């Protein structure tokens, strides 16, 4: 099966970045009392610098539709935020079990989430909005917020 794919999948460059402090760098606000958070804006700008470095120093296809981000958990949240913050840089975003629960208040209407508020202009303009792939696996009852918040985010993106 794998040999049948040879030549059909384009070559890609994968850049994996190890965070210094993922709970701070990958979140847009503190996620629990006494916890850190809110470093995603700086981290997001750093990812743009890394992308531009590769575009300038390697043979890349720098078009938005050829550049993507993928992350899981806090990394999925960071990928989502970065894609919305820099839609002219990243056109494809994969969010695996994203931590959309950060800043999520179950009783709050999805459009009022701080994460959605920060991205309204991009979300409203479907020509600018990146393509998103959002998924989650099975979770325990204690992690139900992951599923519910991901479904709410999907609903916000589709509506």
């Amino acid at each position: 099966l794998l040999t049948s794919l040879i030549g059909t999948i384009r070559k890609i460059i994968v850049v994996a970045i190890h965070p210094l402090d993922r709970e701070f760098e990958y979140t847009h606000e503190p996620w629990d009392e006494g916890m850190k958070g809110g470093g995603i804006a700086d981290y997001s700008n750093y990812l743009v610098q890394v992308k531009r470095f590769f575009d300038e120093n390697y043979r890349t296809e720098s078009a938005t539709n050829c550049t993507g981000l993928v992350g899981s958990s806090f990394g999925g949240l960071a990928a989502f935020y970065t894609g919305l913050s820099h839609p002219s840089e990243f056109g494809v975003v994969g969010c695996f079990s994203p931590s959309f629960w950060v800043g999520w208040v179950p009783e709050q209407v999805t459009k009022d989430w701080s994460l959605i508020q920060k991205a309204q202009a991009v979300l409203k303009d479907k020509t600018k909005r990146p393509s998103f792939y959002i998924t989650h696996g099975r979770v325990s009852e204690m992690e139900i917020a992951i599923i519910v918040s991901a479904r709410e985010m999907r609903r916000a993106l589709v509506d």
Side-chain angles (χ1 to χ4, degrees), residues 28-53:
H28 57 290
E29 61 186 54
W31 49 276
D32 200 1
E33 192 172 321
M35 300 305 286
K36 320 180 248 188
I40 187 60
D42 290 339
Y43 186 74
S44 180
N45 292 331
Y46 171 71
L47 293 177
V48 170
Q49 293 173 12
V50 170
K51 181 223 184 271
R52 290 179 181 166
F53 172 84

Side-chain angles (χ1 to χ4, degrees), residues 31-90:
W31 49 276
D32 200 1
E33 192 172 321
M35 300 305 286
K36 320 180 248 188
I40 187 60
D42 290 339
Y43 186 74
S44 180
N45 292 331
Y46 171 71
L47 293 177
V48 170
Q49 293 173 12
V50 170
K51 181 223 184 271
R52 290 179 181 166
F53 172 84
F54 275 83
D55 288 344
E56 292 169 7
N57 293 287
Y58 294 89
R59 294 183 341 170
T60 64
E61 291 189 34
S62 60
T64 304
N65 65 334
C66 296
T67 306
L69 295 166
V70 177
S72 66
S73 189
F74 280 154
L77 174 64
F80 182 84
Y81 182 99
T82 302
L84 288 176
S85 298
H86 301 283
S88 62
E89 300 286 340
F90 304 102

Side-chain angles (χ1 to χ4, degrees), residues 64-65 67-69 83 87 90-95 126 128-134 157:
T64 304
N65 65 334
T67 306
L69 295 166
F90 304 102
V92 181
V93 179
C95 306
K126 292 183 181 181
K128 290 182 182 176
R129 184 168 70 190
S131 296
F132 288 98
Y133 179 78
I134 299 173
L157 293 172

